Amino acid sequence: MRSLSCLAAGVAVMTVTAMSAGPTPNLTTAVHYLVTSDNAVAGGTTLSHDGYYESFTDFADWGLTMDGAFALAATRGDDTTLAKVASFINGVGADPGGDTINTWSGIGTEFAEGGAIGKEALLAEVTGYDPHDFGGENLITALDQLVCTGTDASTNCAAAGDYVAATSTFDQALGVLAQLRAGDTTGAAAPIAYLESLQEPNGAWPSLIPSGGDSDVDST
C-alpha cells in the first residue's frame, strides 16, 4: 500500500509536458463566471446578500461557497470577491433563512460533521485566517474532538481515525489537509492512518466511507 507522501512525491515528478497536454483553460473567463451576479454569486454589487453562492434563491450553499472560494484563492483572479466570501463566513453571516456556516457544520452540537469543519478550516487557512479562531470557533480543536476512537454507529464513526459523520473520502481528506496545514500532526495521525487504510490494491481510493470496495477516480 502506497502512503500519501509517496503519492504526493509521484505527482511532484510529473513532467510539464504531461501536465500541459490538451487545451489550456482560460482562467480569466472562469473567474469571471464565478464572480458575476447572474451566475448565482451572492456578493456582486447588484445583490443584497453579500458573500455566498446559492443553489436555490435565498439559500446559502456553504459547501459550494467554499468550492468557489478555493478556486478564487487558487487563481487570484478576484481577491476582492474572495475577501468578501471569507469575511462573510468568518463573521458568521446568515442567509435570509438565518442559516450560517455553523448551522451547516453543526459545530458545537451533536450533529457536528468532521468533513464540513475540515473544509471550513481549510478555507480559513488558504485565505489567511487563523483556523483556531474562524467563524467564532476553534476549528482545529473541534476536528481533534471529532476523530473517532472506534466503530460506533451511534456517533457515525466508521472506524478509528475516521472523522465523526465523515461519509466520503473527500470529507476525510479535507480534515487531514486542514489539520496538517495548522501544524496539528499529532491530531492528524489517526485520520491519515485511516485514510491510507482505505486505499485499494490498485492504488485508488473509494468514494464513500465505509468503503464499498469501488475505485473512484474523483476521490483518488
Side-chain angles (χ1 to χ4, degrees):
M1 180 178 295
R2 291 177 292 175
S3 70
L4 294 181
S5 58
C6 290
L7 287 177
V11 171
V13 298
M14 291 174 64
T15 65
V16 173
T17 301
M19 294 180 69
S20 61
T24 301
N26 187 325
L27 296 182
T28 300
T29 300
V31 169
H32 177 74
Y33 181 87
L34 286 173
V35 300
T36 52
S37 59
D38 56 347
N39 292 321
V41 182
T45 56
T46 60
L47 298 177
S48 60
H49 304 299
D50 186 13
Y52 61 84
Y53 286 83
E54 301 173 329
S55 293
F56 301 97
T57 302
D58 290 339
F59 288 92
D61 186 327
W62 299 107
L64 185 66
T65 294
M66 287 186 280
D67 290 338
F70 289 143
L72 292 175
T75 61
R76 300 303 300 273
D78 191 326
D79 286 347
T80 299
T81 298
L82 174 60
K84 287 182 179 180
V85 173
S87 178
F88 186 82
I89 292 177
N90 181 45
V92 198
D95 66 12
D99 286 339
T100 70
I101 189 69
N102 294 338
T103 308
W104 177 74
S105 71
I107 192 167
T109 74
E110 61 181 310
F111 305 107
E113 298 184 7
I117 293 170
K119 189 170 189 175
E120 184 186 355
L122 190 60
L123 174 69
E125 291 160 352
V126 303
T127 53
Y129 286 91
D130 181 0
H132 298 90
D133 183 15
F134 188 72
E137 302 286 348
N138 187 328
L139 303 177
I140 302 304
T141 295
L143 268 180
D144 288 344
Q145 295 172 344
L146 289 172
V147 176
C148 300
T149 57
T151 304
D152 187 344
S154 66
T155 56
N156 294 313
C157 286
D162 180 24
Y163 295 106
V164 171
T167 59
S168 70
T169 302
F170 281 122
D171 286 344
Q172 190 72 14
L174 289 169
V176 167
L177 287 169
Q179 285 181 304
L180 291 181
R181 276 177 173 259
D184 185 18
T185 54
T186 299
I192 290 173
Y194 179 61
L195 185 58
E196 289 180 333
S197 76
L198 295 172
Q199 189 178 23
E200 302 294 341
N202 65 1
W205 266 267
S207 56
L208 300 179
I209 294 175
S211 172
D214 62 312
S215 297
D216 181 64
V217 172
D218 202 17
S219 296
T220 300

